Amino acid sequence: MGNFNVAKTSLEARGYMVRVFSTGKEAADYLDAAVDGTSVGFGGSATLDALGLYERLGTHNQVVWHWKQEDKDAARREAMTTGVYLTSVNALAETGELVNIDGAGNRAAAMLFGHEKVFYVIGRNKLAPTYEEAVWRARNIAAPQRARQLGKKTPCAVKCDRCYDCKSPERVCRGLVTLWGPMMGMEAEVLLVDEELGL
């Protein structure tokens, strides 16, 4: 398991604003106060879902999330135009790299461009000591669990043990994005939570 203090220092050196919370509730309370009166897009994230952020922020913001709306494609596109974007990551290296795998590409794209600010909510289970181990975690732990959650018939979903680099049309891992720092022209804040959250 990675070290939050080391990760925080590395992230700050790369230009991120970083806050550390003991619990997911504390992180959710912070976001509920910090994000107000704006439009908020959500990336696919079991972490955000577990914290009830869509419901909480929806009481005083315009929120959009394809997990919660009928027209998923329209919601994905609308979320690309919001002022604020919330998401998690598949892995975070102690050295400060954020690693994400995406299927449709909406979450990866939203992290890279188009918003005034992006918040990353990351539980301790996502931490890895090195960049290489973070990529390994994203491919061999997070992606198979997500494929199984979606009921896919890929080898990784069936066995849920590792990536098979399959060529299945149901493959959910279509692209991998590494962030070495906040993108130009976009604020980025990382919330590290000392609990296991998400996949």
Side-chain angles (χ1 to χ4, degrees), residues 52-172:
L53 287 166
Y54 179 82
E55 293 76 17
R56 287 188 70 172
L57 295 182
T59 63
H60 54 102
N61 295 278
Q62 175 192 339
V63 295
V64 57
W65 194 0
H66 66 284
W67 279 20
K68 306 287 186 177
Q69 291 164 258
E70 281 190 35
D71 191 337
K72 298 191 181 310
D73 285 337
R76 285 186 182 101
R77 293 179 190 282
E78 186 181 349
M80 293 295 297
T81 65
T82 57
V84 171
Y85 195 78
L86 300 183
T87 188
S88 188
V89 297
N90 296 127
L92 164 63
E94 280 184 12
T95 45
E97 297 92 349
L98 302 176
V99 179
N100 288 284
I101 289 175
D102 212 351
N106 58 300
R107 185 173 64 123
M111 293 175 180
L112 297 172
F113 185 78
H115 305 283
E116 295 168 23
K117 184 163 186 174
V118 177
F119 287 93
Y120 301 90
V121 185
I122 305 171
R124 68 178 175 219
N125 51 310
K126 307 289 184 75
L127 279 171
T130 67
Y131 171 65
E132 291 75 18
E133 288 169 283
V135 172
W136 186 92
R137 184 198 190 281
R139 294 192 69 187
N140 295 284
I141 295 176
Q145 288 183 36
R146 180 68 179 133
R148 174 173 280 185
Q149 191 179 62
L150 291 170
K152 301 299 182 182
K153 300 294 188 247
T154 56
C156 74
V158 172
K159 296 185 178 181
C160 211
D161 59 345
R162 66 179 176 88
C163 174
Y164 288 81
D165 195 21
C166 72
K167 306 303 182 280
S168 169
E170 293 197 12
R171 180 174 176 155
V172 298

Side-chain angles (χ1 to χ4, degrees), residues 1-15:
M1 193 65 66
N3 184 307
F4 263 171
N5 293 327
V6 174
K8 181 177 186 291
T9 299
S10 298
L11 287 163
E12 288 172 340
R14 291 173 179 269

Side-chain angles (χ1 to χ4, degrees), residues 17 19 21 27 30-31 119-123 189-193:
M17 180 183 296
R19 296 180 191 274
F21 299 92
Y30 168 74
L31 284 168
F119 287 93
Y120 301 90
V121 185
I122 305 171
E189 187 168 341
V190 177
L191 311 186
L192 299 175
V193 182

